Amino acid sequence: MFKNVIVRRPGRSLAEGITSAPELGKPDYELALRQHDAYIKALEECGVKVTVLEALEEYPDSCFVEDTAVLTKRCAIISNPGASTRRGESVLMIDTIKKFYSDDQIEYITSPGTMEGGDVMMVGNHFYIGLSARTNEEGCRQFKEALEKYGHTCSVVSLEEVLHLKTGVNYIENNNMLVSGEFIEKEDFKSFNKIIVPENEAYGANCIWVNDIVIVPEGYPTVEKGVRDAGYKVIVLDTSEYKKLDGGLSCLSLRF
Ligand code: CIR
């Protein structure tokens, strides 16, 4: 179960965030704020305490806090984002993380290693890390070494088609996993109960499990049905403004 969540308010600079889909248009700041309010409210309904950090205008992507760290029951690993414009975001998260973890529980990914939290998927005590355009081999090596110090295990999954590992595959507990695209046939995930996400709903693969409730993005009916059929209570949230920047539900929080 998660007790805490950290989020960061989007800034007006959100419109300058990194995107692979400029054809979706620039995010509308006011609407993004309203969607963020609803996100916080939904998390509170899931029974977690939400720490809300101020917007950082100098970092347009800084509301995507998931990429700045990986927080486990035993340790915190501060990332080193592969996107150069996002490097400072991890550094600016350290003081907040120190409110929850002692210095001897905090590890750091350092250059030339790069790692973004969106590439890390927790399955109990095991962590899958995506080798992606943002997380490199040295980042994976450092991450695995850090986790193993705390008795966690880790395996690397290479990916070609999407930004982050969790863009396309998400564990929602009870052996259930949402899988899309290149992850559907991956050996690594063959023992899970797979909820297959169709190509035209690929963005919907990014759902989050928070204390037996699954938060699902609005507009992905096959995904929503699959999650409901697996027995979960569902909260549906509109994330249209974050989708314009390749961001989804998981990206907007650190859950621990
Ligand atoms: C980026 O490209 O870094 C942001 N526009 C989106 C980050 C999404 N984060 C995530 O999937 N964890």
Side-chain angles (χ1 to χ4, degrees):
M1 300 290 266
F2 295 125
K3 287 200 182 94
N4 285 293
V5 168
I6 299 170
V7 301
R8 186 181 289 288
R9 297 295 273 167
R12 285 191 184 277
S13 62
L14 186 68
E16 312 313 320
I18 307 168
T19 183
S20 67
E23 69 280 4
L24 297 180
K26 298 255 187 207
D28 174 324
Y29 172 63
E30 300 296 336
L31 181 53
L33 279 181
R34 288 201 294 280
Q35 292 179 348
H36 205 256
D37 289 338
Y39 184 72
I40 293 170
K41 186 165 166 283
L43 288 166
E44 286 170 344
E45 278 175 39
C46 298
V48 292
K49 179 170 180 339
V50 184
T51 299
V52 182
L53 304 177
E54 294 289 302
L56 287 174
E57 291 295 350
E58 58 281 37
Y59 291 100
D61 287 293
S62 55
C63 61
F64 300 117
V65 287
E66 176 178 69
D67 295 320
T68 64
V70 171
L71 305 180
T72 85
K73 293 268 176 271
R74 303 171 192 167
C75 64
I77 301 177
I78 311 296
S79 74
N80 187 30
S84 57
T85 58
R86 301 198 60 194
R87 288 272 157 92
E89 292 175 34
S90 298
V91 178
L92 289 166
M93 189 57 80
I94 295 172
D95 281 349
T96 304
I97 287 174
K98 285 191 170 177
K99 297 193 171 115
F100 299 94
Y101 293 85
S102 60
D103 284 348
D104 63 358
Q105 290 177 295
I106 304 180
E107 306 287 331
Y108 298 85
I109 304 298
T110 56
S111 297
T114 65
M115 185 272 267
E116 295 189 0
D119 275 318
V120 176
M121 180 171 68
M122 179 178 77
V123 177
N125 192 34
H126 186 78
F127 292 75
Y128 292 94
I129 181 162
L131 179 61
S132 72
R134 300 286 182 87
T135 297
N136 65 14
E137 280 187 33
E138 174 59 13
C140 292
R141 191 197 64 73
Q142 289 181 23
F143 182 71
K144 186 169 193 294
E145 187 177 272
L147 278 178
E148 286 174 353
K149 282 209 250 176
Y150 298 86
H152 293 305
T153 56
C154 177
S155 54
V156 178
V157 181
S158 56
L159 53 118
E160 316 285 328
E161 292 166 9
V162 289
L163 175 63
H164 287 128
L165 180 67
K166 282 186 294 193
T167 310
V169 53
N170 285 271
Y171 185 60
I172 55 169
E173 304 296 322
N174 309 314
N175 209 44
N176 296 317
M177 188 173 275
L178 285 151
V179 285
S180 68
E182 63 188 301
F183 303 106
I184 296 172
E185 299 300 337
K186 279 249 189 245
E187 268 299 290
D188 311 69
F189 305 130
K190 69 171 193 293
S191 63
F192 294 97
N193 300 324
K194 289 188 237 172
I195 301 174
I196 309 281
V197 175
E199 192 61 42
N200 64 344
E201 291 190 26
Y203 176 85
N206 189 253
C207 296
I208 51 173
W209 176 97
V210 187
N211 302 344
D212 290 337
I213 298 178
V214 177
I215 308 182
V216 177
E218 188 176 292
Y220 303 92
T222 314
V223 174
E224 186 182 333
K225 182 175 184 313
V227 173
R228 285 190 195 280
D229 288 350
Y232 296 99
K233 179 176 172 201
V234 166
I235 297 178
V236 177
L237 289 181
D238 188 2
T239 54
S240 63
E241 301 317 288
Y242 301 99
K243 182 180 178 183
K244 292 174 181 173
L245 300 179
D246 306 320
L249 288 163
S250 78
C251 321
L252 290 169
S253 59
L254 286 163
R255 303 162 299 281
F256 57 108

